[in-house]
Amino acid sequence: MHIIAIANQKGGCGKTTTAINLAAELGRREQRVLLMDMDPQGHASLGLGIGERDMPGLYEVFSDEMSLHEVVLSDVAQGVDLVPANIALAAVEPLLTNQPGRERQLLELTEPLNELYDYILIDCPPSLGLLSINALRTATQVLAPVEPGVYALEGIRQLRDIVSLLEEKYQVDLPIAAVLTMFDGHTRFAQTITREIREQLPVALCGVQIRHTVRARESAYLGKPLCDYAPASTAAGDYRRLAGEILAASNKPTETLMDRGIYLAREESLEEPSMSQTSEKPVRRMIVLTFSDLECTRLQLAGDFNDWIPDQNVETRNVNGHWQKVFTAEPGVYEYRLLVDGKWQADPTNPCEIPNELGGINSLLQVPVHH
Ligand SMILES: Nc1ncnc2c1ncn2[C@@H]1O[C@H](COP(=O)(O)OP(=O)(O)O)[C@@H](O)[C@H]1O
Ligand SMILES: [Mg+2]
């Protein structure tokens, strides 16, 4: 089981939006997901349509009034259960302060859930108090939403320092990945800030970035995840790809794929940067996919990187009977399919796959940020 703490002590950087939409996307991909609302403001609960303020939640569990099982609400979205939060949770920190083992209360509580879920996502409050420490102590990885802005790096450095302390104290490995949220590359300022963050970020950065859209606020207001309220919105697609990236990182085959992306890009050792670059744009990488045993007279490629238009911006080579497809893409995770003699299919040479909305299978390709 994977336990992801969605943390950043900076308020309003997209933690709750990421928690809700990542949970919903993982749930749609047949993962069993538990979303824990650890913010006394209860925004994750509200954003999933759980509006009653006095719904029992983690406070009741921490204070031994109820068991964790008793407060779990089933199927608040497809595949997603929720541990709600209410304002009483704000009283947990003083309650925990005097208890021995106060940093591992949540860890102990969640142990019996290991068999029940594939993913537990914890929506952390905007502070690094005992609630967040408990979440980080329980987590197997940290996802830090980062809104490109002036103090963004400062917040991430503090988070990294706290995580390093916990790693040392408890002898655990707790990787942090940041994801850019509310991304709007239209202004020069946004481009400059984003470039600075990319260059100076002290932790790994997800390939996907979540774009700014008014639909995000609307969907929170209506208590629905984006995939239900506005599935065609930019951010809905971005969260879909983020879920793909996280699933891919949790499953072994991706490592091979990542290697493959790196290997192929290196093998060609193509111009880097490979397209005329303005300094604001992330570097595009040249990707070469080779299909050795594919017998057909026509092979086309379509995916997120070319708006699913077969062979748009893709060069085809046939080297000694082996097909090659060559294209450029920015770092990120892409879904794609092949058209083999006019028939759609997933890439038979790629073990990393994901179900698509039409009941078929797409292949996943990761283009890494760094070599
Ligand atoms: N991609 C996005 N585009 C536009 N608005 C967003 C986006 N993500 C989040 N928001 C809005 O920004 C505000 C803060 O987001 P939220 O997820 O609640 O942050 P946090 O949990 O870190 O405080 C909310 O009003 C939310 O609806
Ligand atoms: Mg929040």
Side-chain angles (χ1 to χ4, degrees), residues 15-16 39 43 123-124:
K15 289 181 291 296
T16 301
D39 185 349
H43 288 170
D123 183 26
C124 293

Side-chain angles (χ1 to χ4, degrees), residues 260 264 268 286-291 294 298-302 305 310-319 322-328 336-339:
R260 173 179 166 161
L264 290 166
E268 282 283 305
M286 177 79 67
I287 306 299
V288 183
L289 299 180
T290 304
F291 307 92
L294 211 57
R298 189 165 185 221
L299 181 66
Q300 293 164 285
L301 176 67
F305 42 77
D311 274 356
Q312 176 174 266
N313 301 328
V314 176
E315 185 195 324
T316 304
R317 299 177 188 162
N318 201 315
V319 185
H322 302 316
W323 291 96
Q324 285 191 331
K325 290 286 181 184
V326 185
F327 57 99
T328 64
Y336 69 97
R337 300 191 94 196
L338 304 178
L339 255 175

Side-chain angles (χ1 to χ4, degrees), residues 8 10-21 39 41 43 123-124 126 145 147 181-183 210-221 226 234-235 238-239:
N8 184 344
K10 198 170 171 303
C13 61
K15 289 181 291 296
T16 301
T17 308
T18 299
I20 290 173
N21 290 292
D39 185 349
Q41 298 174 97
H43 288 170
D123 183 26
C124 293
E147 182 190 4
T181 56
M182 294 182 241
F183 178 77
I210 313 297
R211 281 166 286 182
H212 188 279
T213 162
V214 293
R215 300 279 174 262
R217 272 206 171 94
E218 291 168 2
S219 69
Y221 178 72
L226 278 163
T234 49
D238 296 337
Y239 278 116

